Each structure stands twice: as structure tokens, then as C-alpha cells.
Amino acid sequence: MSRVVITGMGAITPVGNTLTDTWAAIKASVCGIDEITHFDPIDHKVKLAAEVKGFDPTTVLSKQEVRKLDRFSQFAIVCADAAYQDAGLTDEIDRTRIGVMVSSGIGGIKTIEETVNKLTEAGPNRISPHFIPKVLTNLAAGNVAIHLGAKGICHTIVTACAASTDAVGAAFRHIQGGFSDVVIAGGAEASITPVGIAGFSIIRATSESTDKTRASIPFDKERHGFVMGEGAGMLVLENLDHALARGAKIYGEVIGYGATCDAFHVTAPSETGEGAIRAMQEAIQTAGIKPEDIDYINAHGTSTPLNDKTETQAVKTVFGDHAYQLAMSSTKGATGHLLGATGAIEAILSVKALEEGFLPPTLNHQVADPACDLDIVANVGRSQDIMYAMSNSLGFGGHNASVVFKKWTGEA
């Protein structure tokens, strides 16, 4: 089977609108959580979110194109364009061998809300003819493919908060199987809207704190819910031989992927964490390494009472004594929870951790929880040379996904 490497990356996050700015903010322990500005939350219990600041889609798209696209698709296209440029791909590459796998958890919810209001106020003949193409979840992938001229596979995996990890994993398998030379994989989300915030609030999944430093607090004993984030993350996955032939720079290698389902509950994780356990085990097995080879895990770590406890226990089950030797942080303390885009962002941060030998911190941690007693790199990141990193994503519906990356050492 073909080896798969990462040759380009792009990020639009609450802490930076580029890969460079996002990584610099993560290293500096910057928190992107603040008061909601996308709408007036006066009637909402949730007052904080992790919004993308100063995003200008016209750096890549025309004003006419922007009007036809929901914010999640704007994020996807601009971010994919950045990753594509970062990879140094050219028009000479066979377009039929370039694929796109871009996921989203919710899709065009902003447009849906605005259109329902328009329908109520002005009637059915006044809604936009662009409504359907703007809201369909698969249109992020479709628009990215159109923008880049990618004529290979074009798929959207919708597995809630595991979606973009599954996109990266599926792209890995697709290239590994020889079906594509290049796949742009990732996710985009723009769900900080009145209905988006209210929907998660009513099921008590989100934090109602008004303290920016005590809202998203992964693994902290006082955690009480996640903070909604938005943005996009894109990785260019490429056949190693193809990348070497064109002299591409290589960030790291994808070597393993596992995906399972709890088949337990719509919103709650399995109490034993058995689905997450099997996903991690599958990822390690397909990577051809041993559990004790993993140096760092970018955890799902949502800051909800059940998730963090269950994920910690799952890691202990998979890694045994080694669980206390590896590092495991949650970058959601900085970025909030980007739902369907979160896995791609955390994959990118894992790859950067390998490349630069720096472990991202878990921000806002103050009160230790005996049930979450692993090395979570609390509050401040640290320099540490690592060879293997894992990124976990767990989603509503019992979806579990884990992907394993290896540091690129130049050995073809």
C-alpha cells in the first residue's frame, strides 16, 4: 500500500486566520473565547463563543461568489485554497487524481435561519434561489472541488464532531489504496447562530459561564460544558512517491486510522468508553506500531463532565501504564469546539507538534480532577521531541475516530 504524507495545511480558527497565526497563538497560550458578537445573545443563557475574528473571504473569492455561499463554505474554500497553495500544487498535476473530502457537522445553518425568517416575513416567492446550494452540507466539498479544479473523488462525511477526523482518515485510506494521488481533507463549521447556540444549550451541552477563562476548561474538575467554536482546517494528503517526485515539502506522515460506533446513545458516550477504545486500538494496529510508541494525544477533551472522564479512562485502558508516560492535551481550551471542523484543526496541531517538537497546552486548567489524572500539559505548552502523535474525535451518535501521525524524518 502507498505511504501517505501531508504536504500542505490551512487553518481558520478563533485564534488565527492562517496556519502560521493559529500555531503561534497555540504556542503562546492564547484563548480565542470571548463574548458573542454574531448576534445579540441577550435572551440566551450562553453568552460566550469562540468566533473567528476579521475573516475576509474576498481575499480569495469575489463579492458575487461570497453572496452565494454560506459562511461555512466560505471558510472551507478559503482554507482549502491556503492549504493547496501551501502544498505548492500546480496545474500540471492530473486533475482526475486530486480528490476532496470536506466535512461539516451542521452545514449552512445561518442561511437556514435567515431564510426561514424571510419566508415568514415576505412569503415563499421572496427566498433566495441560492438557498439550497448554500445550505447543503456537501456543498463545502463541492465548492472546494470547483474552486481547485479537483476532479477525483469528492465526498462529505457527516459524523458530527468526528466528521473531519473521518475525512482525514478516509482520505488516507483512499490514497493508500491507490485511488488518488492527492486529497484535500478537512472540515468547516459556522454554527454560532441563535438556533445553533440555543440548540446545544437546551440539551445542557454548552457552558453558561460568563468568565472567558472558566468556560472551556477541559479535564478541570469544575468543567460543565463546551464552548462553541467556528472555522476550518484543511490538510493536503499526498502519495509519498508523488510528493517526492515533485519535490514537495513534507510536514509529516499519516500512518493509522480507526473508526467505530458506540451504538449506545444519541448524545452520551458509552460509559465504558469501549467505542473510543476500539477506535484508538484500530488506529494503532493499522499504523503498525505499539501503544507505547505514542508520545502525544490531542484529545477530544470537550470540557463536558462525561466526555473528559470517559476519554481519560479509555486512554488508560488502551495504553495501560504508558498512559502516565505520554502527554494528552485538549486544544479546545484555546479554540472552543469547532464541531465538524474540530478534528481537522486538531490533526493540524498534532502534525505541527511533531514537526516542531512542541506540545500544545490545555488552557484554563485550575482544579485537578482525580478522574482526569494524566499529563494534560496544563496551561503552558512545552518543548518535547516526539515521534508519534494521535488525534481523537468523538461525536454525537456514538461516532469515534482516531488518526495517528508520524514525524517526517526524510526517510522515504
Side-chain angles (χ1 to χ4, degrees), residues 236-288:
V236 176
L237 273 59
E238 188 167 354
N239 175 291
L240 174 60
D241 292 338
H242 189 271
L244 293 174
R246 67 182 188 86
K249 70 177 179 185
I250 295 174
Y251 283 106
E253 186 172 0
V254 190
I255 61 171
Y257 167 57
T260 66
C261 183
D262 292 351
F264 172 73
H265 190 272
V266 173
T267 59
S270 167
E271 295 174 357
T272 63
E274 67 88 22
I277 289 167
R278 288 186 291 110
M280 287 186 277
Q281 289 173 335
E282 183 179 332
I284 291 167
Q285 182 179 9
T286 59

Side-chain angles (χ1 to χ4, degrees), residues 255 277 280-297 314-327 387-390 404:
I255 61 171
I277 289 167
M280 287 186 277
Q281 289 173 335
E282 183 179 332
I284 291 167
Q285 182 179 9
T286 59
I289 60 175
K290 297 175 293 185
E292 51 268 33
D293 291 326
I294 298 291
D295 302 298
Y296 167 69
I297 299 174
V315 168
K316 291 178 182 178
T317 300
V318 172
F319 293 94
D321 292 341
H322 183 64
Y324 291 93
Q325 305 303 315
L326 56 77
M387 183 60 67
Y388 297 98
M390 170 182 282
V404 176

Side-chain angles (χ1 to χ4, degrees), residues 308-370:
D308 296 7
K309 176 183 177 180
T310 302
E311 187 175 8
T312 300
Q313 184 56 52
V315 168
K316 291 178 182 178
T317 300
V318 172
F319 293 94
D321 292 341
H322 183 64
Y324 291 93
Q325 305 303 315
L326 56 77
M328 181 176 77
S329 64
S330 170
T331 44
K332 289 181 176 70
T335 66
H337 189 356
L338 279 67
L339 306 183
T342 201
I345 289 298
E346 289 159 8
I348 288 167
L349 299 180
S350 299
V351 172
K352 289 297 291 181
L354 287 166
E355 182 193 28
E356 294 196 10
F358 183 87
L359 304 184
T362 302
L363 298 189
N364 308 320
H365 190 267
Q366 293 182 16
V367 185
D369 184 349

Side-chain angles (χ1 to χ4, degrees), residues 27 353 356-360 377 380-386:
K27 292 179 71 176
E356 294 196 10
F358 183 87
L359 304 184
V377 195
V380 180
R382 67 169 180 259
S383 295
Q384 182 176 324
D385 187 43
I386 57 174

